[in-house]
Amino acid sequence: MAETINKEKAPLKEKKPLFEFGKKERKLITDPLNDDNPITVQVLGICSALAVTTLVYPSFVMTIAVIFVCAFSNLFTSLLRSYIPKAVRMIVQLVIIATLVTIVELTLKAVNYTVYKQLSVFIGLIITNCIVMGRLEAFAMANKPWRSFLDGIGNGLGYGAILLLVGIVREIFGKGTLFAGSPFGTLKFIGASPDYLINTAATSGFDSWFGWYQNNGLMVISASAMFIIAVLIWAQRAWNTKLIDVS
Amino acid sequence: MEYINIFIKSAFIENLVLSYFLGMCSYLAVSKSVKTAFGLGLAVIFVLGITVPINWLITTYILSPDGILGMDLTFLRLILFIAVIASMVQLVEMVIEKFSPGLYSALGIFLPLITVNCAILGGSLFVVTREYNFGESVAFGLGGGFGWFLAIIAIAAIREKMSYSNVPAPMRGLGMAFLLTGLMGIAFLSLLGIDPNAFN
């Protein structure tokens, strides 16, 4: 009797729990941050990285939106993967993504209208953000839902890390501030132009500390994001030499 | 005359790639040689020229409250636009395959890629926000496609020449492509004339 129970239990032990979080799963999240970064290595989803990064706060909102869309579209596509016919899979995937993006767009419109205006068409353009589509094709169509969900979160984070880095550099040098327009208040650096100060009255004794910084106009135009990403790629590949282009 | 204006404006002054940085993914991925860049550029002109007017018709006659259905359906815009783009790409693919097998084999794998090119969806959304009429949207679609075509040919030619230069190893390939695009973007800014608002 006891033997039969053991025999039945043996294969059960090999079956993994539904929401396992081991080494492999952790790798799904950490890999896209460096070795397999969506922007600097896979070259996916660059358009929005350039357009929204003049300020940190909109980049932050964009990051949240992309993580949400990426994770859930991966999850739903993975759940449906055995029912989707090969011939129409692009359209099915696009409908899933478009539905999620519409949810994000309407939510943002209701919650924070100024940021919605700042991001304008770029929220809609998450649909054609190649990260989402690329991960669906490359990962979610061939993997289980939980792993696909983690992969979506990882790639969203990798994308967001670059977005925030570029945003921080552009906002500090372009405006002398950080987090302008966020509900937590704006962080100003000494020398920032008084237009961006909130507590000008309180700092009357230190007036000469402010306003001497000339905003760097280059950082405001979108071409500067290209240069910053180029420098990031340079730094990353100098440190992580296995990413260097051999050709 | 007005249509020529919009064509030139969308092709040069407000170039989709170099001023708005749309359609970057395929622009960077497919610009390693001029020959393939030429094929993709042609395909983008086709698809932009066809989908932008169709999406204009959909917004004006179906989605807007004054349309045939008499309901405000603008929340369906993104889904409908992307469905039109995906089906148009398939249709263009079949038509080209039928009538010009030579061009079809030249474009090959790049045609389906166009579905996720944000220049196409971006162009359709710009037409909505700028409130163009039908003729203007045709001119905008063709002009935008032509500008994209010019930009990808230019970067591909520069990247071909770049392979003879001594670039630091970590910058080879992708890094240089980013730098070059940034420089080209600044060059295209000069076409704007001097706009004080751009430097505030």
Side-chain angles (χ1 to χ4, degrees), chain A residues 29-38 40-41 158 236 239-240 242-243:
Chain A
I29 292 201
T30 52
D31 251 14
L33 289 177
N34 180 17
D35 289 352
D36 205 15
N37 190 285
T40 60
V41 181
Q236 189 193 14
W239 166 50
N240 198 343
K242 63 172 181 270
L243 296 176

Side-chain angles (χ1 to χ4, degrees), chain A residues 111-169:
Chain A
V111 173
N112 193 334
Y113 192 69
T114 41
V115 172
Y116 171 77
K117 277 278 156 204
Q118 270 172 340
L119 293 173
S120 70
V121 294
F122 289 96
I123 283 286
L125 286 178
I126 297 178
I127 294 178
T128 49
N129 194 325
C130 336
I131 295 177
V132 184
M133 208 49 195
R135 291 325 290 175
L136 290 187
E137 275 287 295
F139 200 92
M141 289 301 280
N143 280 283
K144 293 220 165 85
W146 172 239
R147 283 170 59 83
S148 308
F149 185 71
L150 290 178
D151 181 79
I153 292 184
N155 276 284
L157 282 176
Y159 167 86
I162 300 290
L163 215 66
L164 289 177
L165 272 178
V166 176
I168 287 170
V169 174

